[in-house]
Amino acid sequence: MVTTTTTTNTSATTYDDSAAKLFLYPAILFLIIGMSFGVFIAFNAFIFPDYFAGEYIHFGRVRPVHVGTVTLLWLLSVDIGLMLYFVPRLCGVSLWGQKIALWAGGLWWFSLILGVNSFPWGTNFGWEYAELPTWISWIPIKVFFTIAWLLMVLVFFMTIARRKFENMYVSLWYSMGTLIWTTFTVFVGSFVINWVPEGISRVNVSWFYVHNLVGLIYTPMGLATAYYFLPKLANTPIYSHRLSMIGFWSIAFIYAWIGTHHMIHGPISQWMQTLSIVFSIWLFIPVWTVVYNLFATLQSDWAKYLQSAPIRFLMMGNIFYLITCVQGPLMALRNVNEITSKTDWVIGHSHISLYGTFTFFAISGLYYAIPSIVKKPLWSNVLADWHFALNLWGSILFLFSLWVGGFLQGLMWANWANGDSFAEFHANITRLSFVDTVALMRPWWIMRGIGGIIILLGNILFVVNLFNTIILKAPDKVQEPVAEAVRI
Amino acid sequence: MNKEQNEPHEQGNGFSIHSLQFSALLTVIGVIVLFSTAVITILIAPSYIDSSWTSHSSPYQAQMYEIEDPNIYISSASSHGLDLQYVRHLKQDFTLLAFKESEEMRLLAPPELEKYITKLDGKTLKLTSRLLLIREPQDHFKEIANQRRAELQKQNTALIKAEPGKVVEKINYQFMELYDPKKNELFALDPLGAIIQNWVDENYLILDDSVKQKYHSDKGVIYAINPREYRVKQVRFGDIVRWRYDPEGMPVKSLEDLQGPGLDFHSRKELIYYGEHIYAIEGCWYCHTDQTRTLIQDVVLNGSDSFPAPPSSPNEYIYQKITFPGTRRIGPDLSRVAVKRPSRDWHKSHFWSPKTASAGSIMPSFRHFFDNDPRGTGKSAMGIPNHEFEAIFQYMMTKGTRITPPTQAWWLGNDPVQTKEIIEGKVKIR
């Protein structure tokens, strides 16, 4: 609808993507490494519990490696890499400080790879999603990571400040938002948490950090990616810029408030729980604007959904985003929370958001960005189709087994509250003890494990496909679409 | 490539703040304003609004963490860790001591110390922060003790013979001497293993001229009862020099000796913090929550046979560096574990092999909390718990036991929250 005016210089600008490559290529590998850890614990902790036993390999020490690898080494890194790809293109200028970005990338991988893989040796910091150690021997991991991030912030803001195109596309808004939010959030979750009073004050800071990590880092980065690549992939302009602005500002307004909804019914002040519930419900606004906007963009030509695997990834990610964000606010309601909280439903929810939604967005972005960066077509479209099919069915199996199993376990726990007196409640729990409710989860965990294997297989195809795209074929005629700013 | 960088003043490309377009500035400022409002309201304000976030729940909780834990020392190094030793660090004008007679143990004292003894029929517990000890009677007290013991023993025998139908316990009377060691600090044996705390909150009297510690004016105090000096004796197993408690041995000279490599004692405070660290690095918190929510299912899950557990409140957590409220219950909640599973032996076998100790469990085994039995003479295959086990055990034993004094403990039915009344609908929450 809205087109930018300065399109004349575009073809003159070539983009140096070496920094983007530094972030993207390793991240693609860490996708399957992180998922392999996930599959390993799905079997070694749940289906054949403690089969490989020992100090360095039990569930509690491997789980953070899985989570750290997929959240930081894969998703955050790939999102940064994609931003390095599209931010210069949306600004019409080459990346400012290419060298700084390369140094930051080196520091980034050094601190994260070392930090995440040190968990089995007992370096876990002890706060959810903030497990990175402050120190490994004399190496200040967190400080290094923070410096790398700050350098990236500098690079992005300088690039945006020097931009050629005056109007800023929504992806740039989201990118700028996340640069500010993440800086603050990382600082709070990694450092400030040690300076506030012990106890619930720290818990409160921790949940603020945890939810902002998802809501103010992965969400804006993922949406910036989706908003950039859908018009590119489908070769059609975005449906409504105004709608995308509503989405952006409501995220900016709402997300920071809702961390406390992780503590509903817990030992935290009731007014804060209520406040977080109210804001959680408001999340429907940013989500639905995004979902509708993306759907409406493709509305003119749904045939593209069938023709292109990356578009399928993006639109399926959009559907998963809708499901995530219907679940999220509902799970914050006190009565729903009573059943779903502390069950596998929560694990399902975190996977649909970080995997089903934002990983799908990132994969879709990679399918566009990698051929464009290496200036060759994708090695195999058939493989991409298989990749999507395996991912979709694997995810559905994975997610539904966790939701259904978790919900049933929640109902079993709630059953302890049937009756009028403590004697009756106590009789309930002697009939169905806690450990029995765990044992009854096994069939669901087996389904989850199988789903995980299917997804992993699909992603191995993906990595092979991209590897061959990058390595095998000689340069081809494929060029970057010329009219960069016109289309979006 | 970077043509723009070479010509920084070309219109629209140069870097200067006024080239930031209005919309970009609006984004930055708007985001910061919205974000900081949220931060002020939900991160900064609550600690000031809700006093329970920073204040302790009872004087008992404060004294346990601030007075008891730093001054109870635990070691499993004696006799290769086969028995655990608990030692209390006593300090002049700091530790409250009680000298209390029981049916079988009577106390003798020089006239100037007589007032510190709480007699068998005494209604008020007498406490002092003077550093006094008891020991086997010496010098002229030895004769008095023998005399009085013979008398009492005779009475006891007569009583048993007089009423053959009634069961009268045969008592072996013991006499101890109260004396003033004239020292500023000492180490005393804690035979109870410091698991049951001596707590008094009524009918007590502190016999000091002035109260020197602020906790001495609390409503209720923790005290040490009938302390005896801790003495150790070296023993040899082949080439290895070991030690054990022996009333005839050498006294421990200083805190450095106690914590040194030979005796290897750690204060309970150190162990609790180390246990918290282990809880973090082992990832216990991925499967166990540490909160009893305000839900019937939770108070039932964590309750005893007769009483529900009170829901967690913020001030339970104020002495933790890291708090683990948790997101997932693959294992049961641990916020009341010290009441539900107080047994050290139970935890020993559970950490060694959870699947055996609790059928159906999927918890991994934690055998690195155990060392091999160095002499290999034990009958069980289980290793000997090392200080990692001791740390995680002491950490877990803080959960649920320190909310209120033992005299008002919820598992005795004295739950101030009235959890049971609330869930049975007898009390309405306003």
Side-chain angles (χ1 to χ4, degrees):
Chain A
M1 313 254 157
V2 183
T3 52
T4 49
T5 47
T6 44
T7 55
T8 42
N9 300 341
T10 323
S11 49
T13 315
T14 52
Y15 301 98
D16 178 1
D17 286 314
S18 38
K21 285 183 199 165
L22 179 61
F23 278 86
L24 292 180
Y25 290 176
I28 295 165
L29 262 186
F30 282 117
L31 168 65
I32 53 170
I33 293 174
M35 294 190 63
S36 308
F37 278 116
V39 169
F40 172 73
I41 54 178
F43 281 83
N44 197 47
F46 294 93
I47 301 175
F48 307 110
D50 218 22
Y51 182 82
F52 296 105
E55 184 174 359
Y56 304 107
I57 204 168
H58 69 73
F59 176 70
R61 293 213 183 185
V62 179
R63 192 197 111 132
V65 180
H66 163 66
V67 175
T69 310
V70 293
T71 55
L72 300 172
L73 291 168
W74 151 248
L75 194 52
L76 190 58
S77 309
V78 80
D79 277 342
I80 301 271
L82 291 173
M83 277 167 68
L84 283 167
Y85 171 82
F86 67 70
V87 166
R89 283 165 174 80
L90 283 172
C91 294
V93 293
S94 202
L95 191 70
W96 179 90
Q98 187 75 236
K99 261 199 184 141
I100 298 178
L102 288 173
W103 276 104
L107 201 59
W108 176 275
W109 288 118
F110 174 73
S111 57
L112 281 187
I113 291 174
L114 210 60
V116 167
N117 290 291
S118 69
F119 297 144
W121 285 272
T123 59
N124 196 325
F125 184 53
W127 292 103
E128 189 104 42
Y129 285 168
E131 286 99 339
L132 274 191
T134 314
W135 298 93
I136 293 179
S137 178
W138 50 271
I139 307 166
I141 293 293
K142 265 187 188 154
V143 172
F144 278 3
F145 172 69
T146 312
I147 292 173
W149 171 262
L150 289 175
L151 291 176
M152 293 314 298
V153 172
L154 176 73
V155 166
F156 282 124
F157 269 115
M158 290 301 279
T159 308
I160 293 170
R162 299 167 54 83
R163 74 191 186 283
K164 216 181 274 173
F165 306 139
E166 252 186 46
N167 284 348
M168 300 211 319
Y169 181 60
V170 63
S171 290
L172 280 185
W173 290 61
Y174 275 117
S175 301
M176 289 171 69
T178 195
L179 294 172
I180 299 169
W181 292 319
T182 310
T183 307
F184 187 84
T185 303
V186 165
F187 191 66
V188 166
S190 315
F191 305 107
V192 176
I193 196 164
N194 288 327
W195 307 335
V196 300
E198 281 105 341
I200 289 299
S201 308
R202 288 188 181 182
V203 170
N204 187 35
V205 169
S206 164
W207 291 131
F208 171 87
Y209 166 82
V210 165
H211 211 95
N212 283 358
L213 195 77
V214 182
L216 294 179
I217 303 180
Y218 293 118
T219 300
M221 281 185 180
L223 296 184
T225 314
Y227 270 127
Y228 179 81
F229 287 105
L230 184 63
K232 287 284 183 190
L233 288 161
N235 203 21
T236 162
I238 195 78
Y239 168 73
S240 162
H241 282 271
R242 177 161 297 166
L243 216 48
S244 65
M245 285 298 105
I246 295 173
F248 174 81
W249 285 108
S250 45
I251 276 191
F253 178 51
I254 293 165
Y255 253 115
W257 296 81
I258 63 180
T260 322
H261 74 196
H262 293 256
M263 290 290 282
I264 288 169
H265 298 299
I268 203 159
S269 318
Q270 286 297 327
W271 67 269
M272 287 195 66
Q273 297 185 24
T274 309
L275 197 66
S276 73
I277 294 170
V278 171
F279 275 88
S280 301
I281 299 299
W282 283 352
L283 269 187
F284 281 128
I285 302 167
V287 174
W288 287 6
T289 55
V290 169
V291 171
Y292 183 71
N293 212 353
L294 293 181
F295 271 126
T297 302
L298 204 60
Q299 211 166 27
S300 55
D301 194 2
W302 271 102
K304 289 203 175 84
Y305 180 85
L306 299 175
Q307 291 155 6
S308 150
I311 290 183
R312 283 205 290 280
F313 266 109
L314 212 146
M315 296 317 284
M316 198 46 74
N318 196 24
I319 290 171
F320 280 142
Y321 186 49
L322 180 65
I323 300 174
T324 312
C325 296
V326 170
Q327 279 183 356
L330 290 182
M331 283 158 72
L333 296 174
R334 284 195 172 88
N335 49 355
V336 180
N337 184 281
E338 191 172 336
I339 306 296
T340 58
S341 183
K342 319 292 177 244
T343 70
D344 267 336
W345 179 285
V346 177
I347 316 297
H349 178 72
S350 60
H351 278 87
I352 194 182
S353 58
L354 288 193
Y355 190 74
T357 307
F358 300 122
T359 294
F360 274 31
F361 284 167
I363 285 173
S364 150
L366 283 174
Y367 269 126
Y368 182 89
I370 295 291
S372 156
I373 287 173
V374 299
K375 300 190 176 58
K376 304 175 215 170
L378 190 67
W379 183 65
S380 163
N381 284 320
V382 179
L383 224 51
D385 290 342
W386 273 99
H387 176 211
F388 176 75
L390 289 173
N391 253 290
L392 180 61
W393 294 112
S395 300
I396 288 173
L397 190 62
F398 182 102
L399 297 169
F400 274 83
S401 58
L402 286 178
W403 290 333
V404 176
F407 203 82
L408 290 179
Q409 196 182 22
L411 288 178
M412 286 190 272
W413 294 344
N415 142 71
W416 295 333
N418 285 342
D420 296 317
S421 66
F422 185 72
E424 287 176 57
F425 304 141
H426 192 69
N428 290 336
I429 204 168
T430 45
R431 274 195 294 272
L432 181 72
S433 67
F434 181 85
V435 74
D436 292 338
T437 70
V438 175
L440 288 168
M441 285 296 291
R442 193 157 190 266
W444 305 105
W445 284 337
I446 292 174
M447 274 170 68
R448 182 257 301 263
I450 295 169
I453 287 180
I454 297 173
I455 298 173
L456 179 62
L457 279 180
N459 284 331
I460 289 173
L461 298 185
F462 173 60
V463 172
V464 169
N465 200 356
L466 287 192
F467 185 82
N468 288 352
T469 307
I470 296 163
I471 299 293
L472 282 190
K473 280 207 169 176
D476 211 79
K477 295 169 281 298
V478 175
Q479 277 160 9
E480 286 201 17
V482 174
E484 187 72 33
V486 178
R487 276 296 156 208
I488 47 181
Chain B
M1 165 181 82
N2 285 345
K3 200 169 74 180
E4 296 81 21
Q5 283 178 358
N6 300 332
E7 298 160 280
H9 296 296
E10 190 182 306
Q11 196 183 359
N13 292 335
F15 172 69
S16 53
I17 196 72
H18 57 77
S19 76
L20 271 176
Q21 194 205 3
F22 180 66
S23 62
L25 267 181
L26 191 71
T27 315
V28 175
I29 293 168
V31 162
I32 290 174
V33 167
L34 287 176
F35 199 71
S36 40
T37 318
V39 167
I40 290 166
T41 318
I42 66 162
L43 281 195
I44 300 170
S47 299
Y48 297 97
I49 297 173
D50 298 300
S51 62
S52 68
W53 283 33
T54 43
S55 61
H56 51 72
S57 61
S58 66
Y60 178 73
Q61 188 203 19
Q63 286 184 33
M64 281 299 286
Y65 281 103
E66 291 167 23
I67 311 296
E68 279 287 272
D69 292 344
N71 293 298
I72 294 270
Y73 286 83
I74 304 173
S75 175
S76 58
S78 77
S79 315
H80 274 308
L82 289 171
D83 56 343
L84 213 57
Q85 301 278 304
Y86 295 86
V87 168
R88 199 181 275 271
H89 188 199
L90 305 179
K91 283 174 269 183
Q92 178 86 38
D93 295 330
F94 179 85
T95 322
L96 286 176
L97 302 178
F99 301 94
K100 192 167 184 280
E101 291 192 325
S102 63
E103 190 62 51
E104 56 263 48
M105 202 201 62
R106 310 299 170 97
L107 293 171
L108 302 170
E112 73 272 18
L113 297 181
E114 199 74 59
K115 63 173 177 175
Y116 294 114
I117 297 175
T118 309
K119 294 287 182 193
L120 197 54
D121 51 359
K123 294 262 181 336
T124 306
L125 185 73
K126 295 173 183 170
L127 297 170
T128 179
S129 66
R130 267 189 75 179
L131 199 44
L132 306 173
L133 288 177
I134 60 170
R135 66 181 172 194
E136 291 289 334
Q138 306 200 343
D139 306 329
H140 71 287
F141 283 113
K142 215 169 192 170
E143 284 165 38
I144 304 174
N146 287 339
Q147 230 170 39
R148 305 252 308 258
R149 186 189 297 123
E151 280 169 29
L152 284 171
Q153 216 71 56
K154 210 191 257 171
Q155 283 175 17
N156 184 245
T157 324
L159 213 60
I160 294 170
K161 280 186 183 155
E163 295 178 68
K166 206 174 154 193
V167 182
V168 179
E169 215 183 327
K170 187 177 186 299
I171 299 169
N172 286 317
Y173 291 96
Q174 191 189 12
F175 274 83
M176 301 294 283
E177 178 199 342
L178 175 65
Y179 75 108
D180 185 354
K182 299 196 169 59
K183 283 183 183 171
N184 279 328
E185 61 165 5
L186 269 176
F187 300 94
L189 174 73
D190 198 322
L192 288 175
I195 286 168
I196 302 160
Q197 302 304 326
N198 297 304
W199 169 262
V200 57
D201 53 8
E202 52 185 17
N203 299 335
Y204 72 96
L205 182 67
I206 300 175
L207 302 171
D208 292 353
D209 305 333
S210 61
V211 170
K212 298 206 175 66
Q213 282 299 320
K214 70 172 193 299
Y215 82 93
H216 291 177
S217 34
D218 279 348
K219 290 176 195 152
V221 285
I222 289 174
Y223 60 93
I225 191 162
N226 298 341
R228 298 174 206 198
E229 197 173 14
Y230 188 72
R231 288 163 178 262
V232 291
K233 196 175 190 176
Q234 284 193 338
V235 278
R236 283 181 170 278
F237 298 116
D239 296 339
I240 313 159
V241 180
R242 289 269 135 189
W243 57 270
R244 61 181 161 80
Y245 169 67
D246 192 326
E248 316 276 276
M250 293 292 292
V252 179
K253 283 193 201 70
S254 66
L255 205 53
E256 286 73 39
D257 276 4
L258 194 72
Q259 292 173 307
L263 299 179
D264 200 23
F265 275 82
H266 297 272
S267 76
R268 191 160 65 195
K269 185 181 177 181
E270 284 165 22
L271 286 172
I272 289 172
Y273 277 131
Y274 187 49
E276 190 180 280
H277 172 71
I278 291 174
Y279 198 89
I281 65 165
E282 298 290 353
C284 307
W285 47 288
Y286 294 123
C287 298
H288 296 278
T289 53
D290 182 7
Q291 50 173 324
T292 306
R293 295 173 297 169
T294 50
L295 294 174
I296 293 177
Q297 56 174 48
D298 275 35
V299 300
V300 173
L301 174 68
N302 287 337
S304 64
D305 287 356
S306 339
F307 294 100
S312 299
S313 84
N315 40 25
E316 281 174 40
Y317 304 94
I318 60 171
Y319 290 97
Q320 303 175 347
K321 284 183 180 147
I322 310 174
T323 300
F324 307 96
T327 48
R328 175 74 180 98
R329 279 183 190 157
I330 300 166
D333 182 79
L334 294 183
S335 56
R336 303 288 177 256
V337 68
V339 178
K340 290 206 76 182
R341 301 280 187 201
S343 157
R344 193 168 175 276
D345 283 343
W346 188 89
H347 286 285
K348 237 162 71 178
S349 56
H350 188 256
F351 275 121
W352 180 259
S353 177
K355 285 177 216 166
T356 320
S358 164
S361 166
I362 63 164
M363 178 167 144
S365 57
F366 287 83
R367 297 197 177 176
H368 51 288
F369 292 172
F370 299 81
D371 293 336
N372 291 330
D373 178 354
R375 281 183 286 165
T377 51
K379 282 179 188 154
S380 128
M382 198 190 291
I384 293 170
N386 55 30
H387 68 296
E388 289 184 15
F389 171 82
E390 203 49 46
I392 193 86
F393 175 69
Q394 291 296 340
Y395 173 68
M396 285 197 293
M397 289 304 108
T398 63
K399 299 202 172 296
T401 46
R402 297 178 166 200
I403 314 163
T404 47
T407 47
Q408 301 167 23
W410 57 269
W411 60 90
L412 303 175
N414 298 333
D415 167 19
V417 186
Q418 292 186 284
T419 314
K420 189 166 178 175
E421 287 74 9
I422 291 169
I423 64 174
E424 292 181 348
K426 290 173 190 157
V427 170
K428 286 266 178 293
I429 314 170
R430 274 175 291 120

